[in-house]
Amino acid sequence: MSDRNPSPAGGPLVEGPRDPEHDATASYALEPEYAASLTRRVLATTGRTVEVRSPLNGAPLAHIPQSSAEDVAAAYARARKAQQAWQRVSLDDRAAILLRLHDLILERQDEIIDLIVWESGKARKHAFDEPLHVALTARYYARTAHEHLDTQRKLGVVPGLTRVEVNRVPKGVVGIISPWNYPFTMALCDGLPALLAGNAVVAKPDAQTMLSALWGAQLLEEAGFPADLWTVVAGPGAEIGPELVARSDYVCFTGSTATGRLIAQGCAERLIGCSLELGGKNPILVLRDADLERAAEGAVRAAFSNAGQLCVSMERMFVADQVYDRFVERFVARTEAMSLGASLDWGVDMGSLISQQQLDTVTRHVEDAVAKGARVLTGGRHRPDLGPYFYEPTILEGVTPEMTCFGEETFGPVIALYRFHDEADAVARANAGEYGLNASIYSQDGARARAIARFVKCGTVNINEAFAATFASIDSPMGGMRQSGMGRRQGAEGIHRYTESQSVATQRLLRFGPVLGMSDATYAKVMTANLKLMKKLGRA
Ligand code: NAD
């Protein structure tokens, strides 16, 4: 296990005899009792289970109990009861639990990173981003709890006589439906502000990556969140997902645009709110004054983090003509220097895709592009020698609109390069298509890059960085424009979505309407004069 600390209580992995013929992972297995201690947390009474296997080497991981519609109903009944007590707990006490969670995650990060790698197949350095992001989110919301949730005084219509306050009232029970690509942070990060705001959560993580999500649920309880405040259900999204939509007071969904549309329809029917974090076809722009080494380093992370299975990763790259050849040489060299492998240890630059389905999509996109005339500058091959779903980091040139990967999200380690002569044209091409999640601009002139950013139709724009600068800056909102989503996670918007704003106005002394025998006509005149005066006084 090299420089990883052994996980507490034996941790999730048991070590078997080393086989020099095979990769390190082959000699580890997930400890069955450990897996069972997590899967017991699923609220399921059907007696049915589904086996999940590791994408690293196909080893069995666990049998996940499957929830029925009745189980989902029971989860909501428990959550509603727990929420009623929880909303009476003081904000300071709720925030203190979040800070305890922060510490627990950092203390036990090796355990969760092992689980994430084992379950998702990603490289350890990409798995590390997950506890990091959850800890950042926990600290941020704990420390800004009062700023976001305290009752605020507002201007009353009659100065001095109308006292107005706005309360932030919890929505109730929030349904969180999350994907497999960042199985720990996507399952947890959106729920933390929901809990802080006084809600309960029913979570439905993706079926392929339940263990990381269940580990998160266990840690929430260890940190001090009451039982039943966070209940996990499991099952195929198309079967139990609609049950969550039917019972939630608000739905937070992360996943594909197609499913997001279904969720939005279900929520519209019930007139409840939802936030949708969806797909992207994210562009990166390298301007002629970019630091090319920095841009090439960023491009590798932009395109190949978690083997490209990252909503904010880049699949289209527009490079200024003047620097194109020099940039491409550096980008290809850095990509070819990457190490690939199925390992739980540090030192691997890219891991596996998660499933046969992902491998099929990536293979189909690359084969289609090549058949229609695209050139593969590097990569372009399935690598079954490393593990069942490994695919090389791939750079394409000459991608045209007839090719599937021109506009469709690949969600894999494939990026297409395009030259540009004119920056306005590059921005127009970056804005083409239906998505608008994340963009990146490389330039040594920060002010010029920031000016360009205003014309890029994406919810986040990173300058001289791929995606981490916006994603890890929890104080600022993160989300998609156009088909990439609705609503925002993080920042004030990321917590206010889980509250209803309630205005409470207390009227003192004078009531509204004519007083002291005044006629309606006189009252209208007095009010009109009052309006004119207020404007003169500069009042909002
Ligand atoms: P998906 O939409 O198929 O699944 C996501 C979740 O929705 C899973 O938990 C799934 O079980 C559930 N689900 C499926 N059908 C459902 C239904 N009818 N009702 C309710 N729930 C249902 O997405 P995927 O293909 O597994 O995930 C990859 C996609 O997610 C990519 O398009 C990626 O860009 C996107 N994504 C976006 C973000 C972001 O923050 N914007 C983050 C991660 C992934």
Side-chain angles (χ1 to χ4, degrees):
M1 297 230 188
S2 67
D3 51 352
R4 289 180 295 119
N5 298 323
S7 305
L13 303 172
V14 287
E15 200 167 352
R18 284 242 175 205
D19 178 351
E21 294 292 313
H22 293 95
D23 183 80
T25 51
S27 56
Y28 297 113
L30 193 62
E31 212 275 308
E33 188 39 46
Y34 181 90
S37 74
L38 291 175
T39 59
R40 274 197 286 274
R41 302 195 71 86
V42 178
L43 199 164
T45 58
T46 60
R48 281 185 289 118
T49 61
V50 166
E51 187 188 59
V52 283
R53 289 173 173 268
S54 173
L56 282 182
N57 59 4
L61 283 182
H63 290 87
I64 309 291
Q66 300 293 290
S67 312
S68 62
E70 292 71 36
D71 292 327
V72 176
Y76 277 83
R78 286 189 195 182
R80 290 207 179 280
K81 208 161 162 223
Q83 191 271 334
Q84 280 164 15
W86 176 243
Q87 71 174 345
R88 292 185 164 73
V89 173
S90 78
L91 196 50
D92 285 333
D93 287 348
R94 292 183 216 158
I97 303 176
L98 267 190
L99 288 176
R100 265 203 303 282
L101 179 77
H102 168 276
D103 294 349
L104 278 177
I105 286 172
L106 295 188
E107 273 164 32
R108 292 175 55 186
Q109 58 174 294
D110 281 331
E111 189 180 343
I112 182 59
I113 293 173
D114 278 351
L115 214 45
I116 294 168
V117 175
W118 198 242
E119 182 167 68
S120 71
K122 66 179 69 173
R124 190 167 195 84
K125 68 177 180 183
H126 300 141
F128 167 72
D129 291 344
E130 301 208 39
L132 180 79
H133 187 247
V134 177
L136 277 171
T137 306
R139 189 189 75 208
Y140 169 75
Y141 280 116
R143 292 267 155 83
T144 56
H146 287 286
E147 177 191 324
H148 296 313
L149 296 173
D150 277 356
T151 293
Q152 287 190 345
R153 285 292 288 270
K154 297 286 175 188
L155 292 174
V157 59
V158 188
L161 300 184
T162 317
R163 172 196 165 116
V164 180
E165 289 159 337
V166 175
N167 296 325
R168 290 279 170 189
V169 180
K171 293 251 181 186
V173 182
V174 174
I176 296 189
I177 302 176
S178 56
W180 45 262
N181 63 335
Y182 277 72
F184 180 58
T185 191
M186 287 296 121
L188 235 64
C189 73
D190 285 306
L192 302 184
L195 295 181
L196 185 73
N199 299 280
V201 167
V202 174
K204 196 218 77 62
D206 191 276
Q208 297 172 84
T209 50
M210 290 294 300
L211 296 177
S212 305
L214 289 165
W215 192 90
Q218 179 173 294
L219 216 66
L220 288 170
E221 218 170 291
E222 284 180 37
F225 287 106
D228 294 341
L229 203 61
W230 186 285
T231 308
V232 180
V233 291
E239 280 175 30
I240 64 165
E243 284 297 320
L244 270 86
V245 175
R247 294 179 186 281
S248 295
D249 299 310
Y250 185 89
V251 177
C252 169
F253 171 79
T254 307
S256 63
T257 298
T259 310
R261 212 170 269 126
L262 293 176
I263 305 277
Q265 283 164 5
C267 291
E269 194 59 44
R270 297 193 50 231
L271 292 178
I272 60 164
C274 61
S275 50
L276 310 170
E277 304 282 342
L278 310 176
K281 189 76 189 171
N282 305 309
I284 178 166
L285 278 72
V286 179
L287 308 189
R288 63 177 181 277
D289 66 346
D291 174 336
L292 297 186
E293 280 305 336
R294 187 167 176 173
E297 184 279 330
V300 167
R301 278 186 297 113
F304 307 130
S305 288
N306 192 23
Q309 302 166 114
L310 168 62
C311 54
V312 288
S313 74
M314 306 292 175
E315 299 193 357
R316 300 181 298 147
M317 185 153 202
F318 300 91
V319 184
D321 215 12
Q322 297 90 334
V323 295
Y324 186 90
D325 294 332
R326 282 183 288 139
F327 170 77
V328 171
E329 192 186 312
R330 286 167 170 79
F331 183 28
V332 169
R334 281 180 180 268
T335 302
E336 290 182 344
M338 288 171 69
S339 60
L340 271 58
S343 175
L344 288 152
D345 289 332
W346 299 101
V348 170
D349 292 324
M350 198 180 96
S352 174
L353 293 168
I354 191 153
S355 63
Q356 185 64 43
Q357 193 185 336
Q358 283 299 111
L359 177 65
D360 290 345
T361 307
V362 172
T363 308
R364 182 168 53 81
H365 280 206
V366 174
E367 284 178 356
D368 167 78
V370 171
K372 291 174 181 161
R375 291 173 300 284
V376 177
L377 298 188
T378 186
R381 286 182 312 157
H382 174 212
R383 291 292 300 275
D385 54 315
L386 300 173
Y389 313 127
F390 274 79
Y391 198 92
E392 288 176 341
T394 301
I395 305 176
L396 300 178
E397 221 181 22
V399 170
T400 55
E402 313 71 61
M403 302 175 190
T404 309
C405 72
F406 181 84
E408 258 183 46
E409 185 185 41
T410 305
F411 217 52
V414 182
I415 189 162
L417 300 183
Y418 306 94
R419 277 176 196 269
F420 73 82
H421 310 282
D422 170 281
E423 275 168 19
D425 172 54
V427 172
R429 288 159 73 191
N431 284 338
E434 55 180 6
Y435 292 115
L437 190 58
N438 181 41
S440 164
I441 303 174
Y442 278 83
S443 163
Q444 295 195 63
D445 183 344
R448 201 161 63 89
R450 283 191 291 279
I452 292 173
R454 299 180 76 89
F455 295 94
V456 174
K457 294 179 186 161
C458 286
T460 50
V461 181
N462 292 271
I463 293 168
N464 294 326
E465 172 48 46
F467 55 82
T470 50
F471 200 65
S473 299
I474 313 288
D475 194 29
S476 79
M478 187 262 153
M481 296 185 186
R482 305 191 282 175
Q483 299 294 299
S484 289
M486 269 168 46
R488 296 288 182 266
R489 61 162 54 104
Q490 305 191 163
E493 291 166 60
I495 190 161
H496 286 163
R497 61 184 159 159
Y498 299 125
T499 65
E500 295 284 3
S501 51
Q502 177 196 54
S503 296
V504 178
T506 311
Q507 189 62 23
R508 288 185 283 226
L509 302 173
L510 282 181
R511 62 179 171 78
F512 281 83
V515 287
L516 306 171
M518 193 186 271
S519 70
D520 285 345
T522 310
Y523 175 70
K525 275 191 192 137
V526 171
M527 288 309 284
T528 304
N530 178 43
L531 288 181
K532 288 180 179 167
L533 177 67
M534 289 299 160
K535 181 175 176 249
K536 268 205 186 105
L537 293 175
R539 207 177 134 92

